[in-house]
Amino acid sequence: MMHATSLPEMSLSPSIPSPNSVGPGARVETSGVSYRVWAPQVEMVEVNIYDPTDLPAETILPGQLPEPARRIALNEDGGGFFTGLDELGAAGDLYSYRLNGNDSFPDPASRFQPLGVHGPSMVVDARHFPWNDDDWMRPELRDLVIYEMHIGTFTREGTFLSAIERLPHIRDLGATAIEVMPIAAFPGERNWGYDGVYLYAPAECYGTPDDFRAFVDAAHSLGLAVILDVVYNHFGPDGNYLAAFIGDYLDEDCKTPWGGAIRYGSPDFRPLREFVAANPGYWMRDFHVDGFRLDATHAIIDESSPHLLQELTRSIHQLDGFAIAEDPRNESNLLLPEEETGMGFDGVWADDFHHSARVSNTGENESYLGDFTGSLSDVLETLRHGWLYCGQYSRVQGKNRGSHAGHIPPVKFIHCISNHDQIGNHAFGERIGHLISPESYRACSVLLLLSPYSPLLFMGQEWNASTPFQFFTDHNDELGRLITAGRREEFKDFKAFNHPETLDRLPDPQTETTFRNSQLDWNETQLKEHAGMLALYRTCLALRSAETAFRPQDRETYGVQEIATGIGALRLSGSDTEWLVLFDLVGGHGGQVLEGSISPAIDGGKWELVLSSNEERFGGNGHVEKLTSELHFTVAGCAVYKAQN
C-alpha cells in the first residue's frame, strides 16, 4: 500500500494522442511520455514515476515498490481506457500504475521489466536502434531449416549478446531460421519461458530490448531468420496482475491445461483480444522478428468469428511473416488459407514423425506415445502423409484423431527427432541421442534432414550433445512446490514419474543445478566423438540446400515404400536427377529386394552412393550397405543414392 499525501498531482496535458490512435503502454512523444492503459474495473488510475536511486539494484518482490518521485492522474477516455501525459517523462523512466488510490502494479503492456515481474515497468524508445538489415530478405517457406534454441541454456552466460557469438555455427550448420523459445518476461532468473506474464517485454535475465534487437540484427546479417515462440493460451501464475486491471478474464467453465480459458470471444474483453492480436506486429516492427511459433493453439478457445487464430495469422502475413502452430490435433484446416475456412498457418509442428522414430528405437509407448507401435509402417505412413493420424481412432485420446492431409504441401509439416518438449518432458531430460544407439541416431537424423518435410533441430542435436535439457523454474518456494507436484501429475503415465525409486532421483526444477546442467557445452563440438555427428548434419543440410528435390513444392515428386523386410525407401525426383534414401532405423533387417522396386526412372541411369550414415567420417564403422538384390542393414543406417542421365 502506498500513500500520496506528500506528492503533487500533475495536470493532464491537452496533447494526449487520441485513445484509438495507439495501443496500451508508455510511449515517448515530443512533449513527454504518454500513458494508456485499459482498466475497466477501476475508477481511478494514476502513474507513479520513480527516482532510480530509490530502487534496489536487483529483483523486487511484491509490495516492495518505494514512494514515487511524482504521480500523474490519468483521464478516463471511455471504454475503460485511461490516458495521460508526463511532460517531464523520458525514455528510461520507471513507472507503475496505482489503482483506486491503493496498490500499484506494473503495466500489463510493459516493454521492459528491469527489476523483475513485480518491479516497475520501464519506458522504452525503440526508434533509435541502429539497424543494419535494410537489405534483409526472409527465406522462402520451402527453404526453412529451423534451429530451436533456449537463450538461457544456449550459452553459459545465457544472454542475447552471448548467443550472438554462436550464430555463425548455426549458419555454417546449414539452418536458415532460429526459433527462440519464449522470451516474454517471466518470474525469476530461469524458466523455459512458458510462464510469461508480459507479452511485450523481453525477459530481463536475457538482456535489454536493444540486446534482443542486436541479436535479430546479427542473425539477419548471417542470413538467418528469427522465429519467436509466443504463448497466447494462458498467462503465467506469478507476476500476472491483469485481473486487477480488467477483472475476471478467465472462463472457468471452459478448461485448458492451465486452468480457465481466456475469454477471447467475449465482447466484454474485446480490448484484451486486440491487445494479444497486436502482439506479433509489435515484435515484427520493433524487433524485426520474421515469424512466430504459436504455443498450444488447440488451447486458444474462441467461439467468435473470425477466430483469434485467423486474426493472428492475417496480421502476421500482412507484415510478410511466418506463422507456425503447435497443435496435436492433426487438423488440416489449420494449414488452409482463411478464404478456405482455414486458420491460415504456414506450418504446424507434426510430432508424429518424432513419436514413430522414437518408439521404433526405444519401445516407449507410454502416455501420448501409446498410439505408436514403432513399426516401419508407422514411419512410412508418416512420411507419406506428413502425420500418421489422419482420422484413425486414437486409443490414448479415446476418439478419432486428425484429418486427411494429402492436399497440403509437405513444407507445411514441421518434423523433428528432438524439441524442447520431447527432451524436457522426459523424466531426466535425456536427449534421444542418449537413449538410442549412435547408428540409429545417425539414421534418424539423415531421414529427418533429407525428407520432403521441413526439419526442426533442437540446439546441440547436431553434435549429439551430452548435456540434458531438463525442466527448470525459479518460482517462489510455495509456487515452486506446486509446479513440481503438477509436473509429476501431468506425466504420471510415464513410469519414471511415479516409480518410488525414480521419484527421489528426479531433478528438482527449482534448483539452479538443474538449470546449469542443461546448458550446452560448446567444447564438445571439438571432440572426436561429436565431430563426426556434426559433419553428418552439415553434409546433409548442404545437400538439402543444393538439391530442390529434397524441398518439393508438392507431393507429386516423392513416394515411400518398404522394399525389403524392415527397410524403407524414400524416393524423390528432381529435374534431371533421381534420389533414393534407404533406411533401417533400428538395424538388423534385410531381404530380397523386389524386382524393379528401386530401378532408376531415368533411362540408362545408375544408382550412385552419395553418403551413408555409417561412414567413418560421420563416426560410423565404415561398413556401407551395397545396393544389391539382397539388401541387409546389419546395424541401423540410412544411405542416400542418386541416378542421373
Side-chain angles (χ1 to χ4, degrees), residues 525-542:
T525 61
Q526 306 302 315
L527 301 178
K528 182 179 179 180
E529 57 265 38
H530 297 281
M533 189 67 70
L534 182 55
L536 177 66
Y537 271 74
R538 286 175 173 169
T539 301
C540 288
L541 288 178

Side-chain angles (χ1 to χ4, degrees), residues 425-479:
N425 288 347
H426 212 272
F428 295 93
E430 297 105 326
R431 297 168 178 265
I432 191 171
H434 304 166
L435 304 172
I436 67 178
S437 72
E439 294 82 7
S440 291
Y441 186 68
R442 289 193 299 270
C444 291
S445 296
V446 174
L447 186 58
L448 168 72
L449 301 176
L450 295 179
S451 87
Y453 303 99
S454 296
L456 176 139
L457 319 180
F458 185 73
M459 60 180 196
Q461 167 183 337
E462 67 274 22
W463 73 80
N464 197 13
S466 68
T467 49
F469 186 71
Q470 297 171 337
F471 181 68
F472 46 81
T473 54
D474 185 24
H475 293 299
N476 61 67
D477 290 342
E478 180 180 358
L479 181 56

Side-chain angles (χ1 to χ4, degrees), residues 2-10 46-50 66-72 98:
M2 297 195 299
H3 306 280
T5 53
S6 61
L7 292 172
E9 289 286 344
M10 301 189 70
E46 300 160 297
V47 181
N48 293 330
I49 294 95
Y50 300 96
E67 286 294 308
R70 60 185 184 275
R71 177 172 291 148
I72 299 166
R98 185 173 184 242

Side-chain angles (χ1 to χ4, degrees), residues 154-317:
F154 184 59
T155 63
R156 182 59 58 172
E157 298 82 4
T159 65
F160 296 127
L161 295 183
S162 64
I164 291 174
E165 300 173 12
R166 297 295 181 181
L167 294 183
H169 166 88
I170 301 175
R171 174 202 59 194
D172 296 343
L173 176 65
T176 60
I178 302 163
E179 182 176 302
V180 182
M181 288 176 64
I183 63 169
F186 50 75
E189 294 296 316
R190 52 192 182 269
N191 197 288
W192 275 18
Y194 299 95
D195 289 325
V197 290
Y198 296 101
L199 298 183
Y200 288 71
E204 74 284 352
C205 60
Y206 298 151
T208 68
D210 274 356
D211 289 345
F212 184 50
R213 293 185 181 94
F215 173 87
V216 176
D217 201 40
H220 288 172
S221 74
L222 295 170
L224 297 168
V226 177
I227 297 170
L228 185 61
D229 196 343
V230 288
V231 182
Y232 300 143
N233 49 63
H234 75 288
F235 291 90
D238 188 13
N240 174 19
Y241 298 111
L242 196 55
F245 291 83
I246 70 173
D248 187 7
Y249 64 93
L250 296 177
D251 182 356
E252 296 298 341
D253 293 328
C254 185
K255 293 294 186 181
T256 74
W258 303 278
I262 299 174
R263 300 181 193 268
Y264 284 127
S266 170
D268 293 338
F269 291 92
R270 183 71 191 182
L272 173 60
R273 177 195 179 101
E274 294 171 349
F275 173 71
V276 172
N279 187 246
Y282 161 75
W283 290 108
M284 295 185 78
R285 284 186 291 266
D286 282 21
F287 294 89
H288 293 197
V289 164
D290 300 288
F292 302 87
R293 179 262 195 191
L294 275 66
D295 178 69
T297 52
H298 60 285
I300 296 177
I301 312 300
D302 182 13
E303 300 298 329
S304 64
S305 182
H307 195 286
L308 176 62
L309 295 178
Q310 293 173 314
E311 196 170 341
L312 286 164
T313 58
R314 185 191 309 159
S315 67
I316 292 169
H317 292 155

